[in-house]
Amino acid sequence: MSADFLATLVRARAEYALPPQLRSLAERLAREVMALLFPHYGGDAPGCALDDVKMDLARVRQTLRRAVGPLDRQSAEADADLVEAFVRELPRMREALLDDAAALLEGDPAARTLDEVIAAYPGFHAIALHRVAHALHGLGVPLLPRLLSEIAHRETGIDIHPGARIGHSFSIDHGTGVVIGETAEIGDRVKLYQGVTLGAASVTKSLARMKRHPTIGDDVVIYANATILGGDTVIGAASVIGGNVWLTRSVPPGSVVTHRSEVAHREAYDGVEDWSI
């Protein structure tokens, strides 16, 4: 290995300006917030006394402050205010997540209990970490929300940008391969299946500050592998978008959009299969 390359690595380390162990702090924050809100994510025997809950909350405060301080480079008082603003969001966040879990339970015949959904469903886990990341994103915290969203992405296969705005009683069934872009807006009681993409029609960098991703109305169901693109695309309330549909234009409320399938007649001769339409 050349001396020049080694010198390059030395300079890169010297110029690194992010907090030490930022990725591990993001991992810790994700675990601590989830354990605080839901005992399903706690240790072997999470304490049930008020002092135990206060101790868990203190851990969240400490981890968040360690993570955001070097990121925003504000005063210690400003960092403390930001941490407290996030803590004030926790009751609303838990209430929203209970609505999400209830929607998953109601919409999946295979789900037996709310505890099963909270403890085992990847859709719930991804939504939960998104609501944490979205709260931090709304408070102007840089980078950390994105790291939280990537933890969910890695663990569930569901990729939700922290900036996406999602209403209550949201459910993702199965979920692997779901992608929801930064400026997507999703109404209440929306359900997505695996492989759904709510993306941008163009990835030009000049559009970074514009709405690039679709708006989904209330009570919409989007089936597996549907792709909906564009910031001007609006899916009207109570619509059903079928599997494998490709949409780049708006549809009115109550629409049913399907991908047409054709049936071919299958014949066999001399042991060789011949497909013809």
Side-chain angles (χ1 to χ4, degrees):
M1 187 174 293
S2 71
D4 286 346
F5 180 64
L6 291 175
T8 298
L9 295 181
V10 170
R11 287 194 301 272
R13 294 187 181 190
E15 294 167 0
Y16 181 73
L18 298 177
Q21 301 178 329
L22 179 60
R23 292 177 65 89
S24 63
L25 286 171
E27 299 266 2
R28 183 184 303 176
L29 181 66
R31 292 194 305 270
E32 290 175 351
V33 172
M34 292 302 296
L36 173 66
L37 297 181
F38 299 102
H40 313 70
Y41 292 88
D44 293 336
C48 299
L50 179 59
D51 285 345
D52 296 317
V53 175
K54 287 181 177 179
M55 187 177 300
D56 289 344
L57 179 57
R59 290 193 187 98
V60 169
R61 283 190 169 103
Q62 181 182 41
T63 301
L64 181 56
R65 190 160 185 175
R66 286 183 60 194
V68 303
L71 284 173
D72 59 20
R73 292 182 171 82
Q74 299 186 69
S75 66
E77 292 78 9
D79 292 340
D81 289 344
L82 188 151
V83 170
E84 292 310 307
F86 175 77
V87 168
R88 287 194 295 272
E89 289 289 310
L90 292 174
R92 180 201 58 79
M93 193 183 302
R94 187 173 190 274
E95 182 178 354
L97 287 171
L98 288 173
D99 286 342
D100 297 330
L104 276 162
L105 177 62
E106 178 67 22
D108 185 356
R112 298 292 183 262
T113 66
L114 201 66
D115 287 331
E116 178 185 359
V117 169
I118 294 171
Y121 272 49
F124 177 81
H125 188 53
I127 296 165
L129 287 183
H130 169 73
R131 295 205 186 277
V132 175
H134 183 72
L136 292 170
H137 181 272
L139 292 169
V141 177
L143 189 54
L144 183 60
R146 188 66 171 162
L147 290 175
L148 291 172
S149 71
E150 286 307 311
I151 292 169
H153 187 192
R154 182 192 68 212
E155 294 181 351
T156 68
I158 298 168
D159 183 1
I160 310 176
H161 192 283
R165 296 169 57 186
I166 298 176
H168 71 76
S169 302
F170 179 54
S171 61
I172 301 176
D173 200 345
H174 303 296
T176 304
V178 165
V179 176
I180 302 174
E182 177 183 16
T183 61
E185 297 180 28
I186 298 175
D188 299 332
R189 299 174 300 280
V190 170
K191 183 173 187 177
L192 309 184
Y193 286 83
Q194 66 272 18
V196 168
T197 296
L198 305 181
S202 172
V203 292
T204 304
K205 194 66 175 178
S206 62
L207 300 177
R209 296 186 178 277
M210 299 179 63
K211 190 178 188 311
R212 308 180 306 281
H213 306 92
T215 297
I216 310 299
D218 297 342
D219 302 298
V220 169
V221 178
I222 306 177
Y223 283 96
N225 300 312
T227 298
I228 304 173
L229 306 178
D232 294 329
T233 302
V234 177
I235 305 303
S239 292
V240 175
I241 309 301
N244 299 306
V245 163
W246 174 280
L247 265 181
T248 58
R249 59 184 176 83
S250 298
V251 298
S255 298
V256 177
V257 184
T258 61
H259 174 79
R260 175 177 293 182
S261 298
E262 296 184 0
V263 179
H265 179 64
R266 182 184 182 195
E267 296 183 359
Y269 61 96
D270 297 333
V272 179
E273 296 181 352
D274 176 44
W275 288 76
S276 58
I277 297 177

